[in-house]
Amino acid sequence: IVKDVEHLMEILSENTAQLPYIIFLDLSMPRKTGFEFLQEIKENDRLKDIQVVMLSTSYPQDMVYEKGMIKTLHWLGADNFIRKPSDYSQIKDIIHNELIKVIEKKSLNGQMKK
């Protein structure tokens, strides 16, 4: 867990040998939006293969806007979009399920290190 995207970029830059397989990225981040940071990750050759799951707590009234936002996130390279539930156990379940998906995908592609 990091406090902002600049801190996350520091960690990713300092640990190039052990990059994460997945990043859970909130749309509402201090200093940069999730949109900006997603674009930055996907434009970086070293980081572009990291799975990115976008999270949001916002509940827009306009479904057309929300569908457009999700389409934009996927276009920018997000692997999934999840609306954060208020219940902690549901958040844990969502994160667990996303991690399982990444493990299965990486295992099928022969990319998991033993």
Side-chain angles (χ1 to χ4, degrees):
I1 296 175
V2 297
K3 60 183 177 178
D4 57 44
V5 292
E6 282 83 9
H7 185 216
L8 178 56
M9 274 309 262
E10 284 177 30
I11 291 170
L12 294 173
S13 296
E14 293 169 0
N15 298 295
T16 58
Q18 292 185 316
L19 292 173
Y21 290 119
I22 189 169
I23 295 174
F24 293 90
L25 183 60
D26 198 312
L27 281 176
S28 302
M29 300 280 294
R31 299 187 185 163
K32 286 186 183 178
T33 68
F35 287 99
E36 292 170 317
F37 191 63
L38 174 63
Q39 189 169 5
E40 193 174 325
I41 289 172
K42 295 304 179 176
E43 289 175 352
N44 184 312
D45 286 337
R46 251 184 346 93
L47 307 176
K48 68 182 178 185
D49 293 329
I50 297 173
Q51 301 276 315
V52 179
V53 175
M54 302 301 295
L55 303 166
S56 177
T57 55
S58 62
Y59 291 91
Q61 299 291 326
D62 184 353
M63 292 306 290
V64 172
Y65 170 80
E66 182 173 352
K67 286 180 182 180
M69 177 190 66
I70 293 169
K71 185 176 180 178
T72 300
L73 289 170
H74 285 293
W75 181 79
L76 290 172
D79 295 283
N80 201 357
F81 172 81
I82 297 171
R83 184 171 311 289
K84 286 192 291 188
S86 58
D87 183 79
Y88 180 70
S89 65
Q90 288 177 328
I91 292 172
K92 286 185 354 183
D93 289 342
I94 288 169
I95 289 172
H96 179 262
N97 291 336
E98 289 299 315
L99 291 172
I100 295 297
K101 287 180 195 176
V102 169
I103 290 168
E104 288 173 351
K105 182 177 179 180
K106 297 287 184 183
S107 293
L108 287 173
N109 293 333
Q111 297 175 356
M112 290 296 290
K113 295 176 185 173
K114 293 184 179 185

